[in-house]
Amino acid sequence: MLSKTITKRITSLHLKKFRQQEQLFIAEGVKVVSELLNAGYFAEYLLATTVALKQFPAAMLIEEVEMKRISVLADASPILAVFRIPAAEQFKMEEITVVSDGIRDPGNFGALIRLCDWFGVSQLLCAPDTVELYNPKVVQASMGSIARVRVTYQDISTTIRKQPAPVYGAFMEGESIYTKVLETPCYLILGNEANGIRTQTAEIITQKISIPRYGKLQQTESLNVTTAAAIILAEMRRLASGT
């Protein structure tokens, strides 16, 4: 049985202020928790109901009602871990560096991290107002990929100017990715869901690129940021492989 003190401590981590203060974050679900444990993340608490105890024998057994009390999910998972936040890593230019210019939706951001993992992008550079990496919804949507993608928060323009490379920005009016040779190493900048890439960020972009619309009416306003990222990264990887 969980004590009131532990219950209070874990539920406080639903809020960013306490995650930063305690340097701890919550992860839920068999896949997410397994991925982070296998990657060497230190678990301050590892809690399971009877359903998951066989798979996580080192976990502390708790009742389903207790799990619902501490879970951030509408439908609580049978396994929950509280992990220590690792020390922030330094930015390092890679073959492709994806850049978030203020993505705010946790689901989108978590999916973007997972997408980077899929396409072998190990570095994600984020403007300081990008949603927090350890937001529980980001952790959940990443499905454990936060263990394999370095995420750094710092001024985009300053960082890119210190380590220059071609800078591609996704715009509606850019050159089609199917007619433009996309060079690597490079930066790929993705804008905020509502406002796109900021004016000050656009100043460092060397090439505006776009995904052509094929609909007859040409009335679709835009693509979801992760959908756009997937299409562009797939084309970059295709070009790099020479296929």
Side-chain angles (χ1 to χ4, degrees), residues 21-66:
Q21 182 178 302
E22 295 264 9
Q23 286 296 288
L24 297 171
F25 71 96
I26 293 172
E28 297 186 65
V30 171
K31 178 171 174 55
V32 178
V33 173
S34 296
E35 291 268 9
L36 295 174
L37 286 172
N38 290 338
Y41 279 63
F42 179 81
E44 191 91 0
Y45 301 107
L46 186 60
L47 309 168
T49 62
T50 51
V51 175
L53 197 60
K54 273 191 177 181
Q55 194 165 348
F56 298 91
M60 174 184 175
L61 179 63
I62 64 172
E63 299 293 333
E64 287 186 19
V65 66
E66 293 178 293

Side-chain angles (χ1 to χ4, degrees), residues 8-28 44 70-73 81-87 104-106 109 130-140 146 153:
K8 184 178 179 181
R9 189 182 188 201
I10 294 174
T11 54
S12 75
L13 300 175
H14 294 191
L15 300 177
K16 180 179 179 179
K17 176 176 75 172
F18 294 106
R19 289 193 294 272
Q20 292 179 333
Q21 182 178 302
E22 295 264 9
Q23 286 296 288
L24 297 171
F25 71 96
I26 293 172
E28 297 186 65
E44 191 91 0
I70 60 175
S71 174
V72 296
L73 303 175
V82 173
F83 288 107
R84 190 173 293 166
I85 294 176
R104 303 306 300 272
D105 181 86
F109 190 56
T130 297
V131 64
E132 178 214 4
L133 175 61
Y134 297 107
N135 178 303
K137 291 181 181 178
V138 173
V139 175
Q140 194 69 23
I146 61 170
Y153 291 77

Side-chain angles (χ1 to χ4, degrees), residues 134-186:
Y134 297 107
N135 178 303
K137 291 181 181 178
V138 173
V139 175
Q140 194 69 23
S142 79
M143 295 299 287
S145 289
I146 61 170
R148 291 179 292 276
V149 178
R150 293 194 315 278
V151 180
T152 57
Y153 291 77
Q154 50 199 54
D155 183 80
I156 291 172
S157 299
T158 302
T159 302
I160 291 177
R161 286 190 175 105
K162 285 181 179 177
Q163 299 188 49
V167 183
Y168 298 111
F171 289 86
M172 291 294 290
E173 71 278 11
E175 185 176 343
S176 169
I177 59 170
Y178 302 120
T179 58
K180 172 71 181 173
V181 176
L182 303 173
E183 302 173 28
T184 57
C186 69

Side-chain angles (χ1 to χ4, degrees), residues 105-117:
D105 181 86
N108 280 342
F109 190 56
L112 180 61
I113 295 169
R114 188 178 180 189
L115 191 67
C116 286
D117 192 18

